[in-house]
């Protein structure tokens, strides 16, 4: 019974990782790709880690805290990484997809640029 | 709050000494006994019972996990659909949260929810710029961020 549950966790993790990779190829621009990369990869890794943790706990009888720590750190780092990549991509000037509808950030960026220019002058 | 946790750990240590057994399980039992004592005495201690906050943290973690699973189903649906019928864009989401810590948490939460990815902050930290896959239903997304996430975060920090 435990083996079935462990295999389900591992299979879900593997499937999510594969789907996330397909998503990275299929989405049209950087920002869309980050959606696939942050979400699917996070849950995929977490699911595999839970499966491994359960395997060591029930089959081998060892409590391995490292796996739980891995889950915590993946949870913490994945959104931050997505945030930093998208932020720097926008600042470097990577274009949005042609069919994008709205861009509220461009006005903010122009405003920010003006302020820095003024600071340089004074 | 820090004082209460210290008190609780002290009670757990005393419990371990009294039982003369030094193991993780005994510490846990002692901690639970201390928790019960603090709960009973909460009206005489002149401060709030801190475990209410811990429960709020657990609620927040549960919300996190639930939203993450929903987000994955959403992404899988888009990835597996033969046509890319998405309407992406960047929207500005105003927020009422004040400290940096709260806003960071909110940005993380937004990143892991269906169809949204936080991208940038305004300078005063009052607006978060969010990349969304479905711009037409942005009202619903903003409403959800306000009603569910901000409330859950407030419960932990207030």
């Amino acid at each position: 019974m435990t083996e079935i549950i462990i295999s389900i966790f591992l299979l879900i993790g593997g499937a999510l990782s594969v789907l996330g990779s397909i998503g990275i190829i299929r989405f049209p621009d950087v920002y869309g790709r980050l959606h696939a990369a942050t979400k699917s990869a996070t849950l995929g890794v977490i699911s595999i880690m839970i499966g491994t943790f359960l395997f060591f706990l029930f089959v081998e009888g060892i409590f391995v805290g490292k796996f739980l720590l891995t889950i915590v750190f993946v949870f913490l780092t994945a959104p931050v990484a997505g945030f930093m990549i998208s932020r720097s991509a926008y600042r470097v000037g990577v274009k949005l997809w042609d069919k994008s509808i709205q861009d509220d950030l461009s006005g903010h960026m122009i405003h920010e640029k003006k302020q820095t220019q003024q600071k340089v002058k004074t | 709050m820090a004082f209460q946790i210290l008190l609780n750990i002290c009670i757990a240590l005393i419990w371990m000494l009294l039982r003369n057994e030094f193991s993780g399980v005994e510490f846990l039992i002692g901690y639970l006994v201390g928790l019960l004592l603090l709960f009973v005495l909460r009206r005489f201690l002149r401060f709030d019972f801190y475990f209410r906050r811990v429960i709020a943290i657990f609620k927040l973690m549960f919300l996190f996990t639930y939203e993450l699973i929903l987000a994955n189903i959403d992404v899988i649906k888009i990835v597996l659909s033969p046509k890319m019928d998405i309407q992406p864009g960047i929207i500005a989401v105003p927020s009422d949260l004040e400290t940096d810590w709260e806003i960071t948490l909110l940005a993380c939460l937004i990143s892991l929810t269906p169809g949204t990815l936080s991208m940038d902050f305004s300078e005063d930290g009052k607006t978060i710029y969010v990349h969304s896959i479905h711009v037409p239903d942005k009202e619903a997304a903003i409403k959800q961020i306000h009603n569910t996430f901000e409330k859950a975060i407030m419960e932990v920090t207030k």
Side-chain angles (χ1 to χ4, degrees):
Chain A
M1 188 60 207
T2 51
E3 279 172 10
I4 296 172
I5 295 173
I6 291 165
S7 352
I8 287 172
F9 268 115
L10 289 179
L11 283 175
I12 289 174
L16 277 173
S17 305
V18 171
L19 286 171
S21 324
I22 296 172
I24 291 177
I25 299 171
R26 283 206 63 194
F27 272 104
D29 62 351
V30 188
Y31 312 103
R33 283 178 182 150
L34 277 172
H35 277 280
T38 49
K39 283 159 197 161
S40 303
T42 316
L43 196 61
V45 171
I46 287 174
S47 184
I48 289 173
M49 279 302 151
I50 291 173
T52 325
F53 176 75
L54 290 177
F55 173 80
F56 274 103
L57 192 63
F58 289 118
V59 180
E60 306 271 321
I62 316 168
F63 181 90
V64 190
K66 274 182 209 167
F67 292 130
L68 297 181
L69 273 183
T70 314
I71 292 173
V72 172
F73 283 122
V74 169
F75 237 134
L76 283 178
T77 50
V80 177
F83 171 71
M84 285 317 290
I85 294 170
S86 62
R87 182 185 149 103
S88 40
Y90 198 91
R91 277 172 195 245
V92 166
V94 180
K95 290 266 183 321
L96 286 170
W97 191 34
D98 306 331
K99 290 177 190 165
S100 300
I101 297 176
Q102 200 174 356
D103 189 358
D104 285 351
L105 192 51
S106 63
H108 171 67
M109 293 306 285
I110 293 164
H111 178 70
E112 206 170 71
K113 248 180 208 169
K114 265 184 197 165
Q115 274 189 338
T116 45
Q117 276 172 359
Q118 274 177 353
K119 263 180 205 168
V120 171
K121 272 178 194 170
T122 56
Chain B
M1 172 155 176
F3 177 70
Q4 280 187 66
I5 293 174
L6 197 66
L7 206 64
N8 208 339
I9 290 171
C10 276
I11 293 171
L13 284 176
I14 291 167
W15 175 268
M16 259 163 54
L17 285 170
L18 285 174
R19 297 272 297 173
N20 205 16
E21 268 180 63
F22 301 94
S23 66
V25 180
E26 281 300 315
F27 182 81
L28 209 66
I29 294 170
Y31 196 86
L32 288 178
V33 169
L35 210 59
L36 195 71
L37 279 177
L38 280 178
F39 181 69
V40 171
L41 295 174
R42 70 189 181 284
R43 292 177 59 196
F44 303 102
L45 289 172
R46 258 187 284 145
F47 36 65
D48 279 352
F49 179 55
Y50 83 93
F51 208 67
R52 192 178 55 80
R53 270 195 194 185
V54 178
I55 290 170
I57 290 173
F58 273 107
K59 255 191 208 163
L60 191 67
M61 275 163 65
F62 178 75
L63 185 73
F64 237 117
T65 324
Y66 177 69
E67 289 294 337
L68 182 60
I69 291 167
L70 279 190
N72 271 283
I73 294 168
D74 195 52
V75 166
I76 288 168
K77 257 189 212 159
I78 292 167
V79 167
L80 290 184
S81 66
K83 265 175 86 185
M84 272 271 150
D85 54 342
I86 57 174
Q87 294 165 308
I90 300 171
I91 54 179
V93 177
S95 123
D96 298 329
L97 298 174
E98 276 156 16
T99 55
D100 292 350
W101 167 241
E102 290 170 344
I103 293 167
T104 313
L105 210 57
L106 183 66
C108 283
L109 206 52
I110 287 172
S111 281
L112 292 178
T113 51
T116 50
L117 180 83
S118 51
M119 280 185 63
D120 209 341
F121 300 109
S122 66
E123 240 157 67
D124 55 355
K126 286 282 174 204
T127 315
I128 303 179
Y129 294 95
V130 174
H131 185 265
S132 166
I133 311 184
H134 312 289
V135 172
D137 37 314
K138 65 173 180 178
E139 294 299 327
I142 293 174
K143 210 177 201 178
Q144 190 197 14
I145 288 167
H146 268 291
N147 290 344
T148 327
F149 303 153
E150 285 196 352
K151 224 179 245 173
I153 291 171
M154 290 264 207
E155 251 177 60
V156 174
T157 50
K158 285 275 153 62

